[in-house]
Amino acid sequence: MTHPDLAALAASQEETGEGPGAEAARSGLPVCAADLVTDPRWPEFRVAALERGLRACTAVPAGAEGVVTTVTLYAFQPWRLAAGALEAVRVLAEETAAGLLRDHARAGAEAEAEQLRTAIASRAVIDQALGIVMHMLDCDADRAFGALRTLSQHTNRKLSVVAARIVRVKGRGSTRELRRLLGEGG
């Protein structure tokens, strides 16, 4: 069973550094509060937990790839996690942490791949625009790139947007503007 207010307890521990999860993360050891009514540790956490009807908890630390996390089990009545179950919870916590790290790495790799796809597509459009500008101005690639960059800066648009427009209109109507920006007159 899950409790709707556990996220607030976790956030409070992270902010204050007080509570069984925070202590377990710091010490690297399981932390048990068999009865929060009589346990004097972590005053703010105790009040928040008791207000939510929670009476006991055990926080089990786990590490994966240098990241420490905790799994905290809560109970609505006084309770202590059995010693044999502690190891099972630790293994589960480590596997969960490793899975979350893999998920995070995969999401990062996917985002990077998408950025690279976008960059490659932008580069192709920029290269097409360079060819058009080289033809329009009868210049080399360096000078054409400088013209695109100058146009980008003067219009306050990304280079890829300026390039896409030149490609879309096949350079029509751009020669005069490019020559003006390069100080060549019209």
Side-chain angles (χ1 to χ4, degrees):
M1 180 170 137
T2 60
H3 192 285
D5 292 334
L6 293 181
L9 282 177
S12 170
Q13 290 184 76
E14 199 170 311
E15 289 172 15
T16 65
E18 175 192 285
E23 188 174 317
R26 267 193 309 276
S27 71
L29 300 171
V31 175
C32 176
D35 190 349
L36 289 167
V37 169
T38 59
D39 192 324
R41 300 175 288 178
W42 328 297
E44 283 184 43
F45 173 83
R46 279 182 58 227
V47 168
L50 290 169
E51 285 176 347
R52 289 164 173 78
L54 302 171
R55 286 284 301 271
C57 62
T58 298
V60 181
E65 299 179 34
V67 176
V68 177
T69 187
T70 60
V71 170
T72 305
L73 305 173
Y74 295 94
F76 293 107
Q77 57 194 16
W79 160 83
R80 182 177 295 276
L81 182 65
L86 197 59
E87 180 62 15
V89 171
R90 187 192 60 74
V91 168
L92 177 63
E94 286 179 356
E95 288 299 317
T96 301
L100 290 172
L101 288 170
R102 280 190 303 273
D103 234 20
H104 181 71
R106 181 191 49 75
E110 286 175 356
E112 186 176 348
E114 181 57 33
Q115 289 171 349
L116 289 172
R117 278 191 288 274
T118 301
I120 289 169
S122 292
R123 184 62 203 192
V125 169
I126 291 169
D127 286 344
Q128 289 175 15
L130 282 174
I132 292 170
V133 172
M134 288 167 61
H135 178 74
M136 290 168 38
L137 299 180
D138 191 26
C139 65
D140 65 12
D142 288 339
R143 178 140 176 140
F145 186 78
L148 284 176
R149 187 177 58 237
T150 300
L151 185 57
S152 168
Q153 292 168 348
H154 279 76
T155 60
N156 200 25
R157 291 187 177 143
K158 289 184 177 182
L159 184 66
S160 59
V161 171
V162 169
R165 182 185 175 280
I166 288 174
V167 169
R168 188 174 53 255
V169 300
K170 296 178 179 59
R172 287 188 296 270
S174 302
T175 306
R176 183 176 297 149
E177 179 68 9
L178 287 167
R179 289 191 188 279
R180 185 185 66 75
L181 287 172
L182 293 174
E184 296 179 2

Coordinates of all heavy atoms in Angstrom, one line a residue, residues 105-121:
A105 N 20.6 7.7 -17.7 CA 21.7 7.7 -18.7 C 21.1 7.5 -20.1 O 21.5 8.2 -21.1 CB 22.7 6.6 -18.4
R106 N 20.1 6.6 -20.2 CA 19.4 6.4 -21.5 C 18.7 7.6 -22.0 O 18.8 8.0 -23.1 CB 18.4 5.2 -21.4 CG 17.7 4.9 -22.7 CD 16.5 4.0 -22.6 NE 15.6 4.3 -21.5 CZ 14.7 5.3 -21.5 NH1 14.6 6.0 -22.6 NH2 13.9 5.5 -20.5
A107 N 18.0 8.3 -21.1 CA 17.3 9.5 -21.4 C 18.3 10.6 -21.9 O 18.0 11.3 -22.8 CB 16.5 10.0 -20.2
G108 N 19.4 10.7 -21.2 CA 20.4 11.6 -21.6 C 21.0 11.3 -22.9 O 21.2 12.2 -23.8
A109 N 21.2 10.0 -23.2 CA 21.8 9.6 -24.5 C 20.8 9.9 -25.6 O 21.1 10.4 -26.7 CB 22.1 8.2 -24.5
E110 N 19.5 9.7 -25.3 CA 18.4 10.0 -26.3 C 18.4 11.4 -26.6 O 18.2 11.9 -27.8 CB 17.1 9.4 -25.9 CG 17.0 7.9 -25.9 CD 15.7 7.4 -25.4 OE1 14.9 8.2 -24.8 OE2 15.5 6.2 -25.4
A111 N 18.5 12.3 -25.6 CA 18.4 13.7 -25.8 C 19.6 14.2 -26.6 O 19.5 15.0 -27.5 CB 18.4 14.4 -24.4
E112 N 20.8 13.6 -26.3 CA 22.0 14.0 -27.0 C 21.9 13.6 -28.5 O 22.3 14.3 -29.4 CB 23.2 13.4 -26.4 CG 24.5 13.8 -27.0 CD 25.7 13.2 -26.3 OE1 25.6 12.7 -25.2 OE2 26.8 13.3 -26.9
A113 N 21.3 12.4 -28.7 CA 21.2 11.9 -30.1 C 20.2 12.8 -30.9 O 20.4 13.1 -32.1 CB 20.6 10.4 -30.1
E114 N 19.1 13.2 -30.2 CA 18.2 14.2 -30.9 C 18.9 15.5 -31.2 O 18.7 16.1 -32.3 CB 17.0 14.4 -30.0 CG 15.9 15.3 -30.6 CD 15.4 14.8 -32.0 OE1 15.4 13.6 -32.2 OE2 15.1 15.7 -32.8
Q115 N 19.7 16.0 -30.3 CA 20.4 17.2 -30.5 C 21.4 17.1 -31.7 O 21.5 18.0 -32.6 CB 21.2 17.7 -29.3 CG 20.3 18.1 -28.2 CD 21.1 18.4 -26.9 OE1 22.3 18.0 -26.8 NE2 20.5 19.0 -25.9
L116 N 22.0 15.9 -31.8 CA 22.9 15.6 -32.9 C 22.2 15.5 -34.2 O 22.6 16.1 -35.3 CB 23.7 14.4 -32.7 CG 24.8 14.5 -31.6 CD1 25.4 13.1 -31.3 CD2 25.9 15.5 -32.0
R117 N 21.0 14.9 -34.2 CA 20.2 14.8 -35.4 C 19.8 16.2 -35.9 O 19.8 16.5 -37.1 CB 18.9 13.9 -35.2 CG 19.2 12.5 -35.3 CD 17.9 11.7 -35.3 NE 17.2 11.7 -34.0 CZ 17.5 10.8 -33.0 NH1 18.4 9.9 -33.2 NH2 16.8 10.9 -31.9
T118 N 19.4 17.0 -34.9 CA 19.0 18.4 -35.3 C 20.2 19.2 -35.8 O 20.0 19.9 -36.8 CB 18.4 19.1 -34.0 OG1 17.3 18.4 -33.5 CG2 18.0 20.5 -34.3
A119 N 21.3 19.0 -35.2 CA 22.5 19.7 -35.6 C 22.9 19.3 -37.0 O 23.3 20.1 -37.9 CB 23.7 19.5 -34.7
I120 N 22.8 18.0 -37.3 CA 23.2 17.5 -38.7 C 22.2 18.0 -39.7 O 22.6 18.4 -40.8 CB 23.2 15.9 -38.7 CG1 24.4 15.4 -37.9 CG2 23.2 15.4 -40.1 CD1 24.4 13.9 -37.6
A121 N 20.9 18.0 -39.3 CA 19.9 18.6 -40.3 C 20.2 20.1 -40.5 O 20.1 20.5 -41.6 CB 18.5 18.3 -39.7

